[in-house]
């Protein structure tokens, strides 16, 4: 609206010369803005209604889904939004236009007296928002990819984990699963990487009380998951404990002195340290603090409430179906609700879906904000080119070319965008650092993102002003000067 004030200056000057008062000019701007806002709000409301199901899907099926309400109180709120936005949208150009003297427009001094202060401020603000939002959208996407590709430090490929809560013995279930053609080997386990039931607190040697994530496995399951072994103390096969790196360091154990002592009661009476393995993601979340991990190696029969780890060969969907058939047969058709049922890699992907959806939703709003900013830059470039039309025409009369005048105007415009980048990038860097603090495995070496955000913002600004400036530069100087 503000960008159009220059183009409508003669219209308003003519109205003033024909007797219109300042108040009438102001009201005309505001009323036009209100009508325009109301029409756009109606279209936006229709679009919101059509997209509500998609937004609810990105909100991870909320208990109270988003709906477009048409109750009286909502209608009042809609009207209030229309009035506020419409008035704000019309008041600035209205006040600006009402202060312009009609004779300045008629004599051609209007454009010469226009300082374009608002224009420059708007360009800097919108470009700052654009570079900030573009940078943050890329940071969030890159961090999601980092979380998705988080090193597991064990082999979870083609590994299926099934844990069923049942009081009766599960030996028949074990036998049925083992006989499946798709099951290469099967082991007993209480918890696996990416699917942990809980943990236990215990004191370290120096008296600290920390939470250990405790898994129990037989040798088959442990070998199947192929953990990365850092230290092997050649302990007996059973009733031994493997420590994760952080857990081993926290307990105060060393290579020369690794008696479990105070931790023995938390390891299901496994009393010898087998060695140290590389830390692995105990849970699927990549947010919070890294866990302290211990794995007790026990005989399968001693893991009373555990599940089954299976190495699958062949098609995953067919294997899942065959496993479910065995479970149904074992319970004689009785409905079973397993605690865990699926491929371990799927546990990680499924757990990241809510975070992915939330990120996608935020990215959508960011991209919409960037689009609005780009449209604003386009409007400001229109205004900028229009305000420079006379100076361009005069310089062309004195020998300027289309190329020289285009470059001169674009350069002035791009300086403003560069100032915005200088403001926006440090803010984006600070916010990105705060955002990444909460992740266990963080995005690293991401300076290129801000360079890319600056390049994208500069390209958007350049393209938005280029065609308007070219249009002004190609216009016959006689036509421009006649208008003045």
């Amino acid at each position: 609206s503000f960008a159009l004030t220059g183009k409508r200056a003669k219209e308003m000057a003519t109205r003033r010369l024909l007797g219109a008062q300042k108040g009438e000019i102001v009201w005309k701007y505001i009323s036009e803005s209100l009508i325009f806002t109301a029409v756009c709000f109606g279209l936006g409301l229709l679009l919101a209604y059509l997209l509500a199901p998609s937004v609810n899907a990105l909100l991870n099926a909320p208990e109270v889904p988003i709906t477009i309400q048409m109750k009286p109180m909502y209608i009042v709120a809609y009207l209030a939004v229309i009035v506020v936005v419409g008035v704000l949208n019309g008041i600035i150009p209205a006040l600006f236009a009402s202060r312009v003297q009609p004779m300045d427009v008629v004599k051609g001094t209007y454009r010469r007296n226009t300082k374009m202060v608002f224009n420059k401020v708007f360009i800097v603000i919108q470009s700052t928002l654009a570079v900030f939002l573009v940078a943050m959208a890329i940071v969030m996407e890159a961090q999601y990819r980092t979380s998705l590709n988080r090193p597991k430090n064990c082999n979870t490929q083609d590994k299926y984990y099934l844990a069923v809560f049942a009081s009766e013995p599960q030996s028949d279930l074990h036998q049925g699963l083992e006989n499946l053609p798709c099951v290469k080997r099967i082991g007993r386990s209480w918890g696996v990487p990416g699917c942990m039931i809980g943990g236990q607190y215990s004191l370290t040697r120096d008296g600290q009380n920390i939470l250990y994530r405790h898994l129990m496995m037989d040798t088959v399951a442990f070998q199947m998951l192929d953990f990365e072994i850092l230290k092997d103390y050649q302990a007996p096969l059973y009733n031994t404990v493997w420590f994760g790196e952080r857990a081993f360091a926290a307990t105060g154990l060393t290579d020369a002195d690794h008696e479990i002592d105070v931790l023995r009661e938390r390891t299901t009476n496994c009393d010898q340290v087998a060695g140290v393995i590389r830390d692995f993601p105990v849970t699927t979340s990549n947010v919070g603090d890294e866990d302290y991990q211990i794995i007790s190696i026990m005989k399968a029969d001693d893991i009373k409430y555990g599940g089954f780890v299976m190495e699958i060969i062949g098609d995953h969907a067919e294997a899942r179906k065959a496993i479910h058939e065995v479970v149904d047969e074992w319970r004689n058709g009785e409905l079973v609700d397993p605690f865990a049922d699926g491929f371990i890699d799927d546990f990680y992907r499924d757990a990241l879906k809510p975070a992915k959806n939330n990120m996608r939703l935020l990215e959508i709003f960011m991209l919409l904000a960037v689009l609005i900013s780009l449209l604003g830059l386009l409007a400001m470039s229109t205004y900028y080119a229009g305000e420079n039309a006379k100076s361009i025409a005069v310089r062309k009369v004195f020998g300027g070319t289309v190329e020289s005048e285009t470059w001169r105007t674009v350069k002035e415009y791009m300086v403003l965008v560069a100032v915005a980048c200088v403001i926006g990038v440090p803010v984006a860097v600070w916010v990105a650092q705060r955002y990444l603090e909460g992740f266990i495995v963080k995005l690293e070496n991401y300076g290129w993102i801000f360079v890319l955000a600056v390049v994208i913002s500069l390209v958007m600004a350049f393209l938005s002003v280029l065609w308007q400036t070219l249009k002004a530069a190609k216009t016959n100087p006689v036509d421009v000067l006649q208008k003045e």
Side-chain angles (χ1 to χ4, degrees), residues 39 42 62 74 90 113 123 125 139 148-149 177 193 210 253 275 290 306 310 312 345 375 433 439 464:
V39 172
Y74 283 93
N113 293 333
I123 290 173
I125 291 176
V139 166
L148 189 63
N149 299 317
L177 294 171
I210 63 176
L253 302 177
E290 190 67 88
M310 293 164 276
I312 302 300
D345 285 340
L375 293 174
Q433 290 175 341
F439 294 94
S464 69

Side-chain angles (χ1 to χ4, degrees), residues 112-132:
R112 185 169 66 251
N113 293 333
T114 301
K115 301 299 183 182
M116 295 189 292
V117 175
F118 277 122
N119 175 59
K120 294 178 180 179
V121 171
F122 286 153
I123 290 173
V124 171
I125 291 176
Q126 290 181 320
S127 298
T128 301
L129 287 173
V131 69
F132 171 78

Side-chain angles (χ1 to χ4, degrees), residues 275-311:
V276 181
I277 60 176
R278 184 82 68 188
D279 285 336
F280 56 89
V282 171
T283 62
T284 52
S285 174
N286 188 32
V287 179
D289 297 322
E290 190 67 88
D291 294 299
Y292 298 96
Q293 309 153 6
I294 54 176
I295 302 176
S296 294
I297 306 300
M298 306 166 62
K299 293 182 179 180
D301 293 341
D302 294 334
I303 306 175
K304 297 180 180 179
Y305 300 104
F308 301 97
V309 182
M310 293 164 276
E311 184 173 358

Side-chain angles (χ1 to χ4, degrees), residues 251-365:
T251 56
L253 302 177
T254 65
D255 292 341
D257 181 13
H258 48 259
E259 290 294 329
I260 289 183
D261 41 70
V262 295
L263 189 58
R264 183 176 290 106
E265 62 185 34
R266 299 303 189 191
T267 59
T268 323
N269 295 321
C270 297
D271 54 5
Q272 294 192 53
V273 176
V276 181
I277 60 176
R278 184 82 68 188
D279 285 336
F280 56 89
V282 171
T283 62
T284 52
S285 174
N286 188 32
V287 179
D289 297 322
E290 190 67 88
D291 294 299
Y292 298 96
Q293 309 153 6
I294 54 176
I295 302 176
S296 294
I297 306 300
M298 306 166 62
K299 293 182 179 180
D301 293 341
D302 294 334
I303 306 175
K304 297 180 180 179
Y305 300 104
F308 301 97
V309 182
M310 293 164 276
E311 184 173 358
I312 302 300
I313 54 177
D315 183 74
H316 281 197
E318 292 180 1
R320 185 190 303 272
K321 181 180 178 181
I323 291 171
H324 288 174
E325 289 175 353
V326 171
V327 174
D328 291 341
E329 182 179 353
W330 173 65
R331 293 300 296 266
N332 295 320
E334 181 182 344
L335 181 63
V336 176
D337 186 14
F339 163 76
D341 178 23
F343 287 92
I344 297 177
D345 285 340
D346 291 341
F347 293 158
Y348 286 97
R349 280 191 289 266
D350 292 343
L352 287 173
K353 281 183 180 179
K356 177 182 178 181
N357 289 342
N358 292 336
M359 183 193 69
R360 286 285 181 265
L361 188 64
L362 190 55
E363 285 180 344
I364 288 172
F365 281 107

Side-chain angles (χ1 to χ4, degrees), residues 13 32 47-48 77 79 168-169 181 200 212 243 268 304 335 386 397 416 428 448 452 483:
E32 289 177 355
L47 187 61
L79 293 175
E168 64 266 31
Q200 301 186 53
Y212 292 92
F243 281 80
T268 323
K304 297 180 180 179
L335 181 63
V397 169
L416 297 175
W448 60 271
L452 179 60
K483 290 182 181 179

